[in-house]
Amino acid sequence: MKFDKESKFQNIYIPILLFLIAFVWKYFYAGLRDLCLDEPYSVFNAQKSLGEIWKSSASGEPTPPLFMILLHFWMKIVGLEPAAIRILPLLFNAATVIFLYFTGKRFFSLWAGLVAAGLFIFSTFHFYHGIEARAYSLFVLAASSALYYYLLFTENTKNYKALTGLIISNLIML
């Protein structure tokens, strides 16, 4: 019975706690400054129609269309307040912690997963870019999930869930 409790603790409670720490830690800073640098550009372009967003991505816009489309609908729900807009990339950033934890835990050790998640949570680089209304946090989420699914797939090449996760993660990075 002890194994089941430990497994539930390590597979459910720790990831939820890490997600909440990552989210809450950065949430309070999300609205402290106005939109700046490239963020107004993202907000401006995400307000366009879906066709215009797709067309601009096809004509050399460096921001991927998936992020702009997600931001388009997100802003329709939450409005144009900087703190509200930054919640979407913050969710991607906090979800990255879960993939880092599970990658470390599954392929190395529980401590490796906790250290990887902790280093990511308290990284000033990811702190700043995790709340910026740009595609950075989506890229990091896709890359960390791709790593997890790749390692899972290399363990068992007949694991089609891992292959599907790997394909989706790589498509998101495109």
Side-chain angles (χ1 to χ4, degrees):
M1 213 41 151
K2 184 178 178 190
F3 176 75
D4 291 335
K5 288 182 181 178
E6 284 181 12
S7 178
K8 186 175 181 180
F9 182 75
Q10 292 177 4
N11 293 324
I12 296 173
Y13 296 129
I14 290 177
I16 289 172
L17 180 64
L18 290 170
F19 178 88
L20 290 173
I21 290 169
F23 186 85
V24 172
W25 166 252
K26 296 168 186 164
Y27 174 76
F28 292 111
Y29 295 93
L32 287 182
R33 60 183 171 86
D34 291 330
L35 295 174
C36 60
L37 301 173
D38 291 342
E39 290 178 306
Y41 183 77
S42 295
V43 171
F44 173 76
N45 284 324
Q47 292 180 60
K48 296 178 180 178
S49 70
L50 295 179
E52 289 175 307
I53 292 171
W54 191 259
K55 187 188 249 184
S56 68
S57 292
S59 64
E61 163 59 38
T63 305
L66 177 62
F67 179 77
M68 289 299 219
I69 291 168
L70 292 172
L71 188 60
H72 172 85
F73 289 111
W74 182 256
M75 289 186 316
K76 286 190 180 290
I77 295 168
V78 301
L80 295 173
E81 266 311 301
I85 291 171
R86 289 182 180 131
I87 290 174
L88 179 66
L90 179 54
L91 288 170
F92 296 144
N93 184 271
T96 301
V97 172
I98 295 171
F99 278 102
L100 292 174
Y101 166 74
F102 278 121
T103 301
K105 177 184 166 290
R106 178 172 177 103
F107 300 104
F108 301 100
S109 70
L110 173 64
W111 288 109
L114 290 171
V115 168
L119 288 172
F120 182 82
I121 289 171
F122 297 110
S123 162
T124 55
F125 180 82
H126 289 289
F127 183 92
Y128 176 75
H129 291 292
I131 58 174
E132 193 168 310
R134 297 290 288 161
Y136 310 132
S137 59
L138 180 60
F139 282 145
V140 175
L141 173 62
S144 63
S145 64
L147 173 64
Y148 175 77
Y149 289 121
Y150 173 74
L151 292 173
L152 204 60
F153 184 69
T154 57
E155 271 188 346
N156 176 11
T157 56
K158 292 183 169 118
N159 185 344
Y160 294 109
K161 288 183 182 179
L163 180 61
T164 302
L166 180 61
I167 290 169
I168 291 170
S169 298
N170 282 293
L171 286 173
I172 289 171
M173 284 192 276
L174 289 176

